[in-house]
């Protein structure tokens, strides 16, 4: 954490709203990205990210300064998203309806933009097939480079539980991907 | 074909020892299932790496600040509601406890008797009030004309004096202004 961030944090803990607003500005993207990957919708992610910051604001006195602030913040966001998911199950996308994967040529043309969007949907579709905690573990591992110990601390799980959840998540995603590719190979016209 | 332990090795994050890598490679060359799984996991990893970090719409911080006052107000209301509910629950518990203590320390026949006595006392009290009112109204009606004349004269005098005072003051103010 840089010096201004430490200062903001100290000021925010003393009740300075402006300082906390600076922290919101600083960490909005990682928190929003986690919520988006967990929930799959822009508006839901916005609401969840705002709620995560509100919970952090309310519980700032409980924050341990020896711990990384972003880890603590992401942990709050992850728990909130898991709760939200449990309350209102995300409608799962059918992997069979996913478009065929093409080799991206990197050209910035409309077709490429469409392909990028399709890929984005593919990764979201794969994520939506995992249960909430497996998804949270996988997102923290691959988008935020959290160690298994950090994931365990963030999600209130044991390290062995995190390992087995990550293994299950990887296998599920690979199997679903493989199934989708096979389906696309069998029925390319239907998918197109 | 037996896929264990190769499936586990495919999803193992830490780098496999050289001999296990060789075994896995040999197996995936022969086993279509494990080869597909390995390829799929590589593709998924590539997808994850290429997936950009989703960013919120511009103005997220401003929206946060705008919602802060609203959230605080809502929280205060929630806390007030919690206090009211807690106090009501406490009051209810105390009331219930008192009733239970009262019922367990008094016999039912005594309670019925006390209730009947209270009703009787109230009824006789009301009867006395009615008697006093009747007596008072009777005495008023006897002196009614004289009382009304006195009250009317008093009011008329008060209005006349007030009128004269106001008019006099206004005339005096006009004279001073001129």
């Amino acid at each position: 954490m840089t010096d201004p961030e430490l200062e903001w944090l100290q000021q925010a803990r003393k009740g300075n709203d402006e300082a906390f607003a600076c922290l919101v500005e600083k960490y909005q993207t990682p928190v929003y990205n986690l919520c988006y990957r967990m929930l799959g919708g822009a508006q839901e992610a916005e609401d969840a990210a705002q709620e995560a910051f509100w919970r952090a604001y309310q519980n700032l006195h409980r924050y341990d300064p020896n711990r990384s602030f972003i880890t603590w913040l992401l942990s709050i966001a992850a728990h909130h998203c898991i709760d939200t998911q449990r309350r209102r199950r995300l409608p799962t996308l059918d992997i069979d309806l996913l478009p065929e994967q093409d080799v991206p040529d990197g050209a910035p043309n409309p077709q490429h933009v469409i392909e990028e969007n399709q890929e984005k949907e593919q990764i979201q579709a794969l994520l939506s097939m995992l249960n909430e905690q497996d998804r949270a573990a996988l997102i923290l591992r691959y988008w935020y480079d959290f160690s298994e110990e950090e994931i365990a601390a963030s999600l209130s799980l044991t390290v062995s539980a995190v390992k087995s959840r990550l293994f299950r998540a990887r296998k599920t995603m690979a199997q679903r991907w493989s199934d989708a590719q096979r389906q696309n190979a069998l029925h390319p016209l239907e998918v197109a | 074909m037996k896929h264990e332990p190769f499936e586990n090795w495919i999803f193992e994050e830490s780098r496999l020892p050289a001999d296990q890598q060789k075994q896995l490679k040999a197996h995936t060359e022969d086993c279509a299932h494990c080869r597909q799984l390995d390829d799929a996991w590589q593709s998924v990893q590539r997808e994850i790496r290429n997936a950009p970090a989703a960013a919120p719409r511009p103005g997220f911080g401003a929206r946060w600040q705008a919602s802060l006052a609203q959230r605080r107000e809502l929280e205060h209301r929630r806390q007030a509601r919690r206090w009211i509910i807690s106090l009501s629950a406490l009051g209810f518990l105390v009331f219930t406890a008192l009733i239970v203590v009262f019922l367990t320390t008094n016999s039912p026949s005594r309670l019925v008797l006390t209730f009947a006595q209270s009703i009787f006392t109230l009824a006789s009290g009301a009867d006395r009030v009615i008697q006093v009112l009747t007596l008072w109204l009777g005495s008023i009606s006897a002196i009614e004309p004289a009382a009304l004349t006195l009250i009317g004269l008093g009011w008329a005098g008060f209005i006349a004096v007030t009128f004269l005072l106001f008019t006099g003051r206004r005339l005096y103010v006009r004279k001073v202004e001129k």
Side-chain angles (χ1 to χ4, degrees):
Chain A
M1 206 184 289
T2 61
D3 283 345
E5 286 167 55
L6 274 173
E7 181 64 25
W8 292 336
L9 201 48
Q10 282 169 356
Q11 290 299 318
R13 293 186 80 193
K14 287 176 188 167
N16 186 335
D17 289 350
E18 291 296 319
F20 193 82
C22 293
L23 291 170
V24 172
E25 284 291 343
K26 172 78 185 169
Y27 295 115
Q28 57 178 295
T29 302
V31 172
Y32 177 87
N33 181 54
L34 174 67
C35 297
Y36 179 76
R37 297 294 166 201
M38 282 296 292
L39 303 172
Q43 190 53 51
E44 288 166 310
E46 164 92 16
D47 294 344
Q50 292 274 353
E51 182 62 26
F53 278 114
W54 169 245
R55 288 185 182 190
Y57 177 82
Q58 279 185 306
N59 293 291
L60 213 49
H61 59 282
R62 290 186 194 163
Y63 165 66
D64 175 10
N66 297 319
R67 207 178 155 192
S68 155
F69 181 67
I70 183 66
T71 306
W72 182 70
L73 200 55
L74 289 173
S75 164
I76 291 173
H79 277 291
H80 174 62
C81 290
I82 289 169
D83 290 346
T84 307
Q85 282 284 298
R86 281 180 183 159
R87 279 197 302 268
R88 174 173 41 84
R89 296 271 171 194
L90 187 73
T92 51
L93 295 173
D94 188 352
I95 194 80
D96 296 341
L97 299 175
L98 293 175
E100 189 178 3
Q101 190 197 15
D102 294 329
V103 179
D105 58 2
N109 58 36
Q111 180 61 30
H112 182 65
V113 172
I114 291 167
E115 282 167 6
E116 269 189 356
N117 287 338
Q118 287 171 345
E119 281 169 13
K120 193 169 77 179
E121 283 169 18
Q122 277 182 315
I123 202 72
Q124 279 306 129
L126 287 170
L127 284 171
S128 73
M129 282 161 188
L130 306 175
N131 78 40
E132 300 89 11
Q133 284 206 324
D134 291 5
R135 194 184 316 162
L138 192 116
I139 291 167
L140 291 173
R141 181 77 192 94
Y142 290 99
W143 268 272
Y144 298 91
D145 290 327
F146 273 32
S147 66
E148 283 163 348
E149 287 76 16
E150 284 174 319
I151 297 170
S154 297
L155 301 180
S156 313
L157 297 169
T158 60
V159 174
S160 61
V162 169
K163 280 182 183 171
S164 67
R165 282 179 182 281
L166 281 174
F167 180 83
R168 189 168 59 199
R170 287 182 203 120
K171 192 172 177 179
T172 305
M173 287 181 90
Q175 279 172 339
R176 296 291 181 154
W177 182 275
S178 181
D179 291 347
Q181 295 304 304
R182 209 176 305 127
Q183 285 290 324
N184 290 344
L186 286 173
H187 310 288
L189 290 175
E190 282 179 27
V191 171
Chain B
M1 188 179 277
K2 198 179 165 198
H3 305 299
E4 293 297 338
F6 306 108
E7 267 192 6
N8 291 345
W9 290 354
I10 289 169
F11 299 110
E12 185 61 54
E13 263 200 311
S14 53
R15 197 171 172 78
L16 292 172
D19 61 322
Q20 286 183 359
Q21 279 185 37
K22 271 186 195 169
Q23 286 178 55
L24 181 61
K25 196 178 174 192
H27 177 78
T28 49
E29 276 170 9
D30 293 339
C31 174
H33 169 81
C34 286
R35 189 169 57 247
Q36 277 176 356
L37 217 52
D38 191 25
D39 290 346
W41 176 232
Q42 299 303 325
S43 300
V44 171
Q45 279 183 293
R46 202 167 43 246
E47 286 289 315
I48 291 172
R49 274 195 300 272
N50 292 337
R57 282 182 294 121
F60 183 88
R63 290 195 293 281
W64 154 257
Q65 283 186 310
S67 72
L68 187 59
Q70 212 177 339
R71 284 176 186 272
R72 269 197 194 132
E73 175 65 28
L74 209 65
E75 187 58 29
H76 286 159
R77 273 191 215 163
R78 249 182 231 152
Q79 275 183 350
R81 209 179 303 144
R82 264 182 233 137
W83 268 103
I84 290 167
I85 290 169
S86 305
L87 285 175
S88 306
L90 190 70
F92 178 75
L93 279 174
V94 169
F95 182 70
T96 311
L98 283 174
I99 286 181
V100 167
V101 168
F102 187 73
L103 287 173
T104 50
T105 52
N106 289 281
S107 68
S109 57
R110 189 173 171 74
L111 283 174
V112 170
L113 188 66
T114 311
F115 180 73
Q117 277 177 344
S118 305
I119 295 289
F120 180 74
T121 310
L122 277 172
S124 59
D127 187 45
R128 273 181 211 153
V129 169
I130 290 166
Q131 279 178 4
V132 168
L133 275 175
T134 313
L135 199 66
W136 185 70
L137 286 171
S139 62
I140 285 286
S141 64
I143 55 159
E144 195 176 2
L148 277 178
T149 311
L150 281 173
I151 291 166
L153 283 172
W155 271 106
F158 174 74
I159 290 165
V161 169
T162 312
F163 177 76
L164 286 172
L165 280 172
F166 269 94
T167 317
R169 189 178 172 277
R170 204 177 286 168
L171 289 171
Y172 173 74
V173 169
R174 274 187 198 166
K175 195 175 175 182
V176 169
E177 281 174 355
K178 277 178 186 175

